[in-house]
Amino acid sequence: FIFAGGTAGNGSIAGVMSLVLPPDLDRATMLKHLPFFLILVAVVKGLSYAGQFYLMGEIGQRVIYDLRRELHDKLLAQSLDFFHDRRSGDILARFLNDVKNVENAVTYAVSSALRDTAQVVVLLVLLFYLDYKLSLIAFVVLPVAAIPIPRVDATPSALRQGLQRLP
């Protein structure tokens, strides 16, 4: 609406910009502020990613430190028979590879899940902010439309039976 010269409603970028800027700005002033608004969004996104990677890296390193310390303590508590029955390479692989896999899971999987959850929440809030009536309709109609999907019988066994009936 800013570019076309229309009114600034909730569904326009001007409506979203009015959350940060005064809502009674004219079109020309909004156009002047648009690049700064986009830069602000990019800076907030970049700082969020930097904070996320720093915090998740810190948490991942703490988890690895605790896990390796516990493994070391358990290893020292084992009897000589334990070491006689196992190869040293297997024990070393537990210390290196398995712990590294746990670190990757903590650092990347958890951060990805948190980021995706936050993104869904923000998008849902924005969805209802832009048009709550359409959002409510979508949340009612889509689940109802999905009900018949599992009932469609297109299993491979039904397909095989249909093919066997052909001459």
Side-chain angles (χ1 to χ4, degrees):
F1 289 116
I2 293 176
F3 300 113
T7 59
N10 283 349
S12 68
I13 193 160
V16 176
M17 285 177 61
S18 68
L19 297 173
V20 180
L21 299 171
D24 57 346
L25 294 177
D26 64 340
R27 180 175 171 262
T29 309
M30 287 287 232
L31 280 172
K32 289 178 187 174
H33 285 86
L34 181 62
F36 299 110
F37 179 74
L38 294 176
I39 290 171
L40 175 69
V41 169
V43 166
V44 168
K45 183 178 178 180
L47 290 174
S48 298
Y49 274 123
Q52 170 200 339
F53 285 122
Y54 174 77
L55 290 175
M56 293 313 295
E58 186 74 27
I59 290 170
Q61 290 301 315
R62 287 182 188 170
V63 167
I64 293 308
Y65 174 77
D66 292 342
L67 190 58
R68 285 188 175 154
R69 193 180 72 235
E70 283 185 40
L71 279 172
H72 180 258
D73 293 343
K74 295 268 184 183
L75 197 60
L76 290 178
Q78 299 300 321
S79 67
L80 289 176
D81 289 337
F82 173 83
F83 294 104
H84 187 269
D85 295 339
R86 287 166 183 78
R87 296 179 293 196
S88 59
D90 292 339
I91 296 171
L92 189 60
R94 295 282 178 213
F95 268 82
L96 297 176
N97 298 334
D98 293 353
V99 172
K100 188 65 176 171
N101 289 339
V102 170
E103 179 188 16
N104 286 338
V106 168
T107 303
Y108 299 111
V110 172
S111 65
S112 177
L114 290 175
R115 183 180 61 241
D116 293 345
T117 302
Q119 187 175 11
V120 166
V121 169
V122 167
L123 289 175
L124 284 174
V125 168
L126 186 61
L127 185 72
F128 279 95
Y129 174 75
L130 293 176
D131 193 349
Y132 74 93
K133 291 177 187 175
L134 185 60
S135 302
L136 288 174
I137 291 171
F139 280 108
V140 170
V141 171
L142 288 177
V144 172
I147 289 172
I149 292 174
R151 297 176 189 228
V152 174
D153 190 18
T155 59
S157 61
L159 184 60
R160 265 187 255 119
Q161 289 173 359
L163 289 176
Q164 288 174 354
R165 289 186 211 144
L166 293 174

